[in-house]
Amino acid sequence: MSIYRRSILLLFLLLAGLLAGCSDEAVPPLTPDPDDEFSSPERLVQHFQIVYETMDPEAFALLLHAQYSMPLQLAVAAEYPDLGPALERDEVLRIHDRLFSHQTLTDPDQQPVPAAQSIAVQSLQRLGAWTEAAPGEAYPGTIRAGYGVVMLMDRGTSESVFRVQGTLEFHLAMRDTSVNGITRTYYKLRALTDLTQDAKADKGVENVSFGRLLGFWR
């Protein structure tokens, strides 16, 4: 661009700014996107991590699809028969209200459940590409990807630390929504497949599967 044309453009922008400043009406700010946490698969998973580390039950509820389901491993379902073969949305929300309460509670057998003091997600790394569910598979119309996870839960100085380690498979449902006149695709957590495993305890650390962890707060 020549110096002459650059000067004309600069003058135009200056005049436009002066005219805008003379207006009696303030220019309304851009409306923030209320669903920005769900505007990509990666952002949703990042929000999943934030929810656990902040222990926020209301933010957790926003993650979940209306038909959310988490199948339990056979050993976990056998240990907690009152939960059934899978955790559905309402039950998952009830469990997380308890899990994130920072309070010592009792389980259905009236046994004390020490309060979760804090949760640290040390690792949540995608293990492969997002792929679409094939015809006939569970959760049609979703995409899925496995994430390697290491999650530590502090239950106070008198209790062992819970560690969840292994793979969680995220299944995301998609929807198109218009925000400020722009149509975008948003994502919700339709299901979670728990591929983490129980393991021998280390000193001061109890290795539990993700499903078993949730079972403690049922």
Side-chain angles (χ1 to χ4, degrees):
M1 180 183 294
S2 68
I3 295 176
Y4 173 77
R5 294 181 62 186
R6 189 180 296 114
S7 299
I8 293 296
L9 178 59
L10 180 61
L11 179 61
F12 174 79
L13 293 174
L14 179 61
L15 289 173
L18 290 173
L19 290 173
C22 295
S23 175
D24 292 333
E25 296 183 2
V27 177
L30 292 176
T31 303
D33 184 349
D35 288 328
D36 195 48
E37 295 91 344
F38 316 114
S39 59
S40 75
E42 297 302 326
R43 288 186 67 82
L44 185 142
V45 175
Q46 181 184 48
H47 193 57
F48 177 89
Q49 176 174 344
I50 292 171
V51 162
Y52 274 86
E53 293 189 328
T54 58
M55 299 176 66
D56 186 339
E58 294 182 0
F60 176 74
L62 295 177
L63 283 171
L64 304 186
H65 188 271
Q67 295 178 311
Y68 175 82
S69 180
M70 177 182 160
L72 295 174
Q73 297 178 18
L74 293 178
V76 176
E79 184 172 355
Y80 304 120
D82 51 311
L83 294 180
L87 297 177
E88 307 302 334
R89 188 177 191 273
D90 288 346
E91 182 70 357
V92 167
L93 293 178
R94 185 187 71 83
I95 287 173
H96 280 78
D97 280 342
R98 290 166 56 83
L99 173 63
F100 293 159
S101 70
H102 296 279
Q103 297 179 9
T104 297
L105 304 169
T106 56
D107 67 15
D109 298 323
Q110 301 306 308
Q111 298 300 310
V113 181
Q117 303 292 336
S118 64
I119 299 174
V121 181
Q122 292 189 323
S123 179
L124 191 60
Q125 298 293 325
R126 184 157 53 88
L127 302 177
W130 288 95
T131 59
E132 295 184 6
E137 289 186 337
Y139 320 118
T142 63
I143 59 174
R144 68 171 183 268
Y147 277 74
V149 61
V150 179
M151 179 187 296
L152 297 178
M153 176 185 290
D154 181 7
R155 301 187 297 155
T157 55
S158 62
E159 301 292 335
S160 62
V161 172
F162 280 154
R163 177 166 59 200
V164 174
Q165 187 168 358
T167 300
L168 293 175
E169 191 171 72
F170 288 76
H171 305 260
L172 306 187
M174 298 166 284
R175 61 181 172 85
D176 289 335
T177 301
S178 293
V179 177
N180 297 331
I182 301 175
T183 300
R184 299 172 65 183
T185 301
Y186 294 93
Y187 300 84
K188 289 286 187 178
L189 185 56
R190 171 65 177 84
L192 200 63
T193 300
D194 177 22
L195 302 175
T196 62
Q197 296 294 329
D198 298 319
K200 293 182 179 180
D202 300 327
K203 185 177 181 180
V205 177
E206 191 172 346
N207 298 290
V208 297
S209 67
F210 187 65
R212 190 178 301 280
L213 177 78
L214 298 183
F216 287 125
W217 274 269
R218 70 197 190 283

